[in-house]
Amino acid sequence: MIERVWERVRKATLVSRVIVATDDERIRSAVKSFGGEVVLTRADHRSGTERVAEVAAAQKDAEILVDVQGDEPLIEPAAIDAAIEAIRGDSDVQVATLAVPITNPAEIMDPNVVKTVLDFDGNALYFSRAPIPWVRDRKGPVHAQHLKHLGLYVFRRDALLDFATFPQGDLERVEQLEQLRWLENGYRIRVAETEHESVSVDTPEDVTRVEQLLAGGAG
């Protein structure tokens, strides 16, 4: 799966270098076996963003860094480019990520599917495992767009290095969502909406689903 994610990221036109960051020697060996670049990091990081920040500290020439999690085998290269464009096109944006409209109603109530809501400028107001926005009045027709957050982030280097110095807040601990640390510390997160769905492998059932999608020609 790591190799497939690596291959997908390499196809993004705005990505110039791909590094796999891990604290597992088995993953390090696997990446070397297929010719990828890999960095062995400390094992005490509390989140993937902290791990990327360790790597970023040594990459002094990299102004913008992308964090693609290793459990996203169906990530679309064009979606990666869209997230990068969201930060390249506005110097005030320090952090960017992706979201896709939810089309399967069951995902709205699924705590394994992270939802987000945005302000009028496309910045995240919140991320949650709960169904946000909650439709209170169901007596009449109500249009409410539900967005699924995709686990991909783009950072300016200075902001990424700042992240590792922030303490975990209550919201991050309760929801178990690292992106809430940014919001709790006053950062805005620009969200680029995409139509490119992705399936992260969080449960054994996800493995089966991804295998079926690949067999059907996805990605």
Side-chain angles (χ1 to χ4, degrees):
M1 184 167 66
I2 297 295
E3 182 176 3
R4 177 172 175 80
V5 176
W6 176 78
E7 289 174 345
R8 301 295 287 171
V9 175
R10 291 181 69 208
K11 292 181 179 180
T13 60
L14 298 178
V15 172
S16 60
R17 184 181 179 188
V18 181
I19 302 173
V20 177
T22 181
D23 64 356
D24 192 316
E25 181 60 44
R26 295 169 298 177
I27 294 178
R28 179 177 179 272
S29 297
V31 174
K32 281 187 166 295
S33 71
F34 61 71
E37 183 177 2
V38 60
V39 172
L40 198 63
T41 68
R42 303 196 319 269
D44 61 345
H45 293 303
R46 295 167 295 180
S47 68
T49 304
E50 289 188 3
R51 192 178 312 283
V52 175
E54 179 187 339
V55 177
Q59 309 300 321
K60 301 186 184 302
D61 294 333
E63 178 188 354
I64 295 175
L65 298 101
V66 184
D67 176 10
V68 180
Q69 299 179 28
D71 61 359
E72 296 280 349
L74 297 181
I75 192 69
E76 179 63 42
I80 299 173
D81 285 336
I84 296 172
E85 285 289 4
I87 203 170
R88 288 207 318 170
D90 188 337
S91 60
D92 291 332
V93 178
Q94 301 294 306
V95 186
T97 190
L98 288 172
V100 62
I102 293 178
T103 57
N104 178 3
E107 290 190 335
I108 297 172
M109 302 301 294
D110 186 346
N112 292 311
V113 176
V114 178
K115 277 72 69 174
T116 187
V117 285
L118 313 181
D119 66 16
F120 292 137
D121 294 321
N123 300 309
L125 290 169
Y126 192 60
F127 297 88
S128 183
R129 298 183 184 279
I132 54 173
W134 177 259
V135 180
R136 179 185 176 187
D137 186 359
R138 303 187 182 186
K139 295 179 181 178
V142 176
H143 173 73
Q145 183 183 48
H146 291 86
L147 294 173
K148 172 183 176 179
H149 177 233
L150 302 184
L152 180 151
Y153 302 94
V154 184
F155 318 96
R156 295 195 186 276
R157 183 174 181 273
D158 288 345
L160 178 56
L161 296 182
D162 282 345
F163 179 89
T165 69
F166 296 148
Q168 281 187 316
D170 290 340
L171 295 176
E172 180 185 358
R173 280 192 292 267
V174 169
E175 293 259 21
Q176 290 294 294
L177 297 174
E178 63 185 279
Q179 62 269 37
L180 292 177
R181 194 184 311 182
W182 293 105
L183 300 185
E184 289 184 278
N185 283 278
Y187 273 82
R188 291 183 302 171
I189 301 177
R190 181 64 51 82
V191 179
E193 294 189 43
T194 178
E195 296 299 322
H196 299 292
E197 175 68 282
S198 183
V199 179
S200 59
V201 180
D202 301 314
T203 66
E205 292 76 16
D206 292 334
V207 175
T208 302
R209 183 182 175 192
V210 168
E211 289 176 343
Q212 291 172 343
L213 289 169
L214 290 174

